[in-house]
């Protein structure tokens, strides 16, 4: 890797923070985006390439001896992608005829020519491009197009979470329908978002301790709490409606998503909860359709009856259509911010309009709600949504990127005085709500 000094000089890197009211980009050396493209994402790509070498025998047993050439070529292509990022390579159009290729290439074509490289373009666009590029490497092969190269990490994350899952299962079997219980469960779900493999470049994070004690202990870390408004949007409705949950991470977070969804169904707050998974492997730990089914089966097969009963119950709710996986939408793995959904995918926007509440999980969904833009920290959530109001919506996010809105005057300054990296650690969270 070229030294930072040489790299920065060659690529016009600005030695300062992201200026106010501009796109977040790796162009700014003191930004998390710069660190992401110099360190975090190259590390993620090295892990993928190394695992292809390490797990080659397992892959050959799964996909057949004829897959050997594909495994070797894919390893080489992933390492080349890593080199391209470290060299600030160009964002080139995608080949192939995948269903999202045209949308991606049209998007890339509209980028200004001076903003078509990893460090010059908006952080959101470049990071999404990288994950789509990895997918295209695998999808272009004869034998590995359906291989989920993050699957093992996601399954390990679930297995490491069994103790926490068990405690939560036992504590939630006899819940009451009231705002206090709902507040506990939505905050449990919020803090479940701390377990995010993309932030640790794939290193596992094991949830420990009593989850409900932590909800209480973390109260001072919850910077915005719109729980009362979320409860009102559910409790005041007929109970015949739909709640949409836009997934983030597999593992423990997915489990807490399902705990919340179960409560919504069991207590008559909605007739159906629809889940939106990702269509391709995404940001290491994001939920794909097969992760959802794997998790339910993992729980159903668990030797502890408390977990087994939960798994079987959720499978039954899925069979009955009370839990439903939405049709796969490549919009969720596109580079587009959500305010552009009506122009890019009107049918998806119309489907979200059917819901009485849409819950967006995690940091990337938050970035797409706001756009990767350095808003003033006190700017209202409604303003930052830029007209994206298909329904009542809320976002549950532990903060792992340097953008935020809706804070009180002086709050961000106090947090920076305490810890300059407070926006990057997942230590703080927000529950923000906007009515339709």
């Amino acid at each position: 890797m070229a030294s930072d000094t040489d790299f920065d000089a060659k690529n016009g890197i600005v030695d300062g923070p992201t200026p106010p009211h501009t796109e977040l980009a790796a162009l700014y050396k003191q930004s998390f985006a710069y660190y992401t493209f110099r360190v975090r994402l190259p590390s993620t790509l090295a892990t993928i390439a190394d695992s292809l070498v390490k797990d080659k025998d397992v892959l050959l047993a799964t996909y057949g001896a004829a897959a050997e050439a594909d495994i070797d070529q894919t390893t080489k292509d992933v390492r080349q992608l890593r080199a391209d990022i470290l060299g600030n390579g160009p964002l080139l159009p995608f080949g192939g005829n995948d269903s999202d290729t045209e949308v991606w290439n049209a998007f890339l074509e509209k980028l200004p020519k001076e903003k078509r490289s990893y460090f010059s373009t908006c952080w959101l666009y470049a990071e999404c491009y990288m994950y789509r590029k990895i997918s295209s490497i695998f999808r272009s092969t004869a034998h590995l197009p359906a291989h989920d190269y993050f699957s093992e990490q996601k399954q390990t994350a679930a297995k490491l979470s069994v103790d926490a899952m068990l405690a939560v299962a036992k504590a939630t079997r006899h819940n009451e329908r009231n705002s206090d219980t709902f507040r506990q469960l939505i905050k449990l779900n919020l803090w479940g978002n701390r377990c995010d493999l993309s932030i640790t470049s794939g290193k596992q994070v094991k949830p420990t301790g009593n989850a409900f004690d932590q909800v209480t202990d973390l109260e001072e870390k919850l910077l915005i709490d719109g729980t009362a408004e979320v409860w009102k949007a559910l409790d005041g409705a007929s109970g015949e409606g739909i709640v949409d949950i836009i997934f983030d991470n597999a593992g423990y977070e997915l489990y807490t998503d399902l705990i919340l969804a179960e409560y919504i169904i069991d207590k008559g707050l909605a007739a159906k909860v629809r889940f939106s998974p990702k269509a391709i492997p995404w940001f290491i730990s994001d939920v794909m359709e097969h992760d959802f089914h794997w998790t339910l089966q993992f729980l159903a097969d668990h030797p502890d009856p408390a977990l087994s009963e939960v798994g079987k119950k959720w499978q039954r709710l899925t069979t009955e259509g009370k839990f439903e996986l939405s049709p796969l939408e490549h919009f969720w793995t596109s580079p587009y911010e959500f305010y552009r959904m009506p122009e890019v995918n009107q049918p998806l926007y119309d489907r979200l309009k059917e819901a009485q509440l849409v819950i967006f999980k995690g940091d990337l969904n938050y970035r797409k709600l706001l756009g990767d833009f350095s808003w003033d920290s006190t700017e209202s959530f409604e303003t930052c949504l830029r007209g994206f109001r298909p329904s009542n919506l809320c976002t549950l996010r532990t903060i792992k990127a340097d953008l935020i809105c809706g804070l009180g005057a002086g709050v961000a300054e106090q947090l920076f005085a305490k810890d300059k990296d407070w926006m990057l650690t997942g230590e703080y969270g927000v529950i923000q709500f906007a009515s339709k």
Side-chain angles (χ1 to χ4, degrees), residues 90-312:
L91 308 182
L92 300 171
F94 290 102
N97 53 3
D98 291 311
S99 58
D100 62 340
T101 301
E102 215 172 285
V103 168
W104 261 102
N105 288 347
F107 175 86
L108 293 168
E109 182 63 33
K110 285 179 185 162
L111 286 178
K113 286 197 166 43
E114 70 278 8
K115 290 194 173 185
R116 291 189 194 173
S117 70
Y118 288 101
F119 284 75
S120 63
T121 200
C122 172
W123 174 20
L124 177 68
Y125 305 160
E127 193 165 11
C128 289
Y129 178 91
M130 186 205 82
Y131 281 101
R132 174 60 176 79
K133 185 72 178 170
I134 304 168
S135 174
S136 74
I137 290 170
F138 281 84
R139 289 200 291 191
S140 67
T141 65
H143 300 91
L144 305 173
H147 177 61
D148 180 359
Y149 31 92
F150 296 135
S151 183
E152 189 183 341
Q153 288 162 287
K154 289 183 279 191
Q155 291 178 11
T156 300
K159 291 167 186 171
L160 282 174
S161 306
V162 162
D163 291 348
M165 290 177 178
L166 195 52
V168 169
K170 288 175 176 172
T172 53
R173 293 309 88 195
H174 306 288
N175 279 334
E176 300 294 320
R177 173 175 166 153
N178 57 46
S179 58
D180 286 344
T181 305
F182 180 75
R183 186 180 298 113
Q184 288 281 305
L185 294 181
I186 201 167
K187 290 179 181 179
L188 177 82
N189 193 207
L190 163 70
W191 297 116
N193 180 240
R194 284 176 141 192
C195 303
D196 185 340
L197 296 174
S198 71
I199 287 297
T200 59
S201 299
K203 293 180 181 67
Q204 294 292 342
V205 184
K206 180 176 179 174
T208 55
N210 181 303
F212 290 104
D213 287 348
Q214 287 174 359
V215 164
T216 307
D217 295 345
L218 290 166
E219 200 59 35
E220 66 182 40
K221 306 286 190 182
L222 183 56
L223 303 179
I224 301 168
D225 185 1
T227 305
E229 295 161 289
V230 181
W231 170 251
K232 215 177 292 177
L234 286 172
D235 189 46
S238 68
E240 298 300 309
I242 296 168
V243 171
D244 272 308
I245 296 180
I246 315 304
F247 277 147
D248 189 24
N249 299 305
Y252 179 66
E253 182 178 353
L254 170 58
Y255 179 80
T256 62
D257 293 338
L258 297 169
I259 288 282
L260 181 63
E262 173 191 58
Y263 182 83
I264 288 168
I265 296 296
D266 281 355
K267 304 308 171 195
L269 295 164
K272 183 193 291 278
V273 178
R274 289 190 304 209
F275 305 106
S276 292
K278 302 299 191 298
I280 61 173
W282 196 246
F283 282 65
I284 305 183
S285 45
D286 279 35
V287 180
M288 295 180 68
E289 202 170 297
H290 65 84
D291 298 313
F292 175 85
H293 293 300
W294 180 90
T295 301
L296 267 52
Q297 197 59 51
F298 169 71
L299 294 167
D301 292 342
H302 200 274
D304 192 296
L307 281 184
S308 175
E309 281 167 28
V310 165
K312 286 171 182 160

Side-chain angles (χ1 to χ4, degrees), residues 34 42 60 101 145 159 166-167 176 304 306 325 348 384 414-415 419 427 431:
Y34 179 89
L60 290 171
T101 301
K159 291 167 186 171
L166 195 52
E176 300 294 320
D304 192 296
L325 285 171
L348 176 57
C384 297
Q414 286 169 8
L415 290 164
D419 178 5
E427 191 181 340
I431 299 172

Side-chain angles (χ1 to χ4, degrees), residues 322-362:
K322 292 172 182 173
F323 281 5
E324 180 179 287
L325 285 171
S326 292
L328 287 181
E329 287 286 356
H330 282 279
F331 182 83
W332 304 123
T333 49
S334 79
Y336 285 106
E337 303 90 343
F338 292 160
Y339 78 90
R340 297 170 76 177
M341 190 186 289
E343 66 172 275
V344 179
N345 192 330
Q346 183 68 47
L348 176 57
Y349 192 76
D350 290 341
R351 193 158 76 240
L352 295 182
K353 281 163 79 171
E354 299 167 2
Q356 69 192 64
L357 175 70
V358 186
I359 301 173
F360 290 92
K361 293 301 309 299

Side-chain angles (χ1 to χ4, degrees), residues 377-419:
S377 65
T378 54
E379 192 65 75
S380 77
F381 184 44
E382 289 78 4
T383 298
C384 297
L385 290 172
R386 292 185 260 194
F388 179 72
R389 306 289 280 275
S391 178
N392 296 313
L393 62 89
C394 89
T395 176
L396 308 183
R397 177 222 186 187
T398 60
I399 302 164
K400 303 167 194 152
D402 41 3
L403 76 161
I404 192 141
C405 70
L407 294 182
V411 172
E413 290 76 5
Q414 286 169 8
L415 290 164
F416 276 119
K418 208 188 291 185
D419 178 5

